């Protein structure tokens, strides 16, 4: 894959399989913080000491997880982070994007890489033979990584205060943007919780509404006029 330096100085990669970048070229870190930490309410929850559960669809290069964990560490707030990734080969690319430099607490990155390496998750393999991997990134911060198909397989147990929908776009990865999948995610969203995504497509908004979410258009990150917030 091609490494791209984005407008805020952070890096992302271009996926040949999907024909898209993992994060916005207008600022990978800026987009992640705006769309997922801030608009979802996770940043406010962590800042006010509320223990938080997050489910991410599309772990990818781990940026959303690392930034959320970094804020939880800074605020000393418990965080249980679950992430689903369908392509185990992408994990081998994590060391190439240098996200350690984006964190206040670089130990979180070191713990993530060491944990993935120890479990042989930094190498290609058969995801169907691998159970969820839980890593302790800090005293009160855990990541449970599910190498599975979010459409076909069971979603993690329980409800979540925030769902980060960061799959590739509806045009290239349409199965992650259907009313049926959103209905499953709605059942995993706690009362008062929210799903946020970078997409603002009308079809996505209508599918979220059909699944039972209360959907609002919000100001998007740099390079995007709007994004979607779907509350429960």
């Amino acid at each position: 894959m091609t490494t791209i330096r984005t407008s805020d100085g952070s890096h992302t990669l271009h996926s040949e399989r999907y024909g898209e970048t993992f994060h916005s070229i207008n600022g990978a870190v800026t987009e992640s913080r705006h769309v997922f930490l801030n608009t979802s309410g996770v940043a406010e929850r962590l800042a006010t000491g509320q223990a938080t559960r997050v489910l991410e669809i599309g772990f990818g290069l781990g940026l959303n997880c690392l930034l959320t964990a970094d804020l939880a560490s800074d605020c000393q707030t418990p965080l249980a982070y679950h992430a689903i990734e369908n392509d185990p080969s992408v994990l081998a690319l994590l060391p190439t994007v240098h996200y350690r430099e984006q964190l206040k607490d670089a130990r979180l990155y070191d713990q993530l890489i060491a944990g993935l390496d120890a479990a042989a998750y930094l190498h290609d393999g058969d995801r169907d033979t691998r159970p969820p991997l839980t890593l302790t990134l800090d005293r009160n911060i855990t990541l449970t990584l599910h190498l599975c198909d979010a459409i076909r397989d069971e979603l993690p147990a329980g409800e979540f205060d925030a769902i980060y929908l960061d799959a590739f776009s509806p045009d290239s990865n349409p199965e992650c943007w259907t009313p049926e999948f959103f209905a499953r995610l709605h059942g995993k969203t706690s009362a008062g919780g929210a799903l946020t995504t970078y997409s603002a497509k009308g079809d996505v908004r209508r599918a979220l509404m059909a699944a039972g979410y209360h959907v609002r258009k919000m100001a998007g990150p740099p390079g995007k006029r709007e994004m979607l917030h779907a509350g429960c």
Side-chain angles (χ1 to χ4, degrees), residues 132-153:
L133 173 67
T134 298
L135 302 175
T136 300
L137 301 183
D138 200 4
R139 184 167 56 91
N140 291 317
I141 301 172
T142 59
L143 162 65
T144 303
L145 181 60
H146 306 258
L147 289 184
C148 66
D149 186 329
I151 306 302
R152 182 191 67 188
D153 299 325

Side-chain angles (χ1 to χ4, degrees), residues 192-208:
L195 176 153
T196 54
T197 183
Y198 61 86
S199 178
K201 291 191 69 171
D203 288 347
V204 174
R205 179 176 58 84
R206 288 185 288 272
L208 286 166

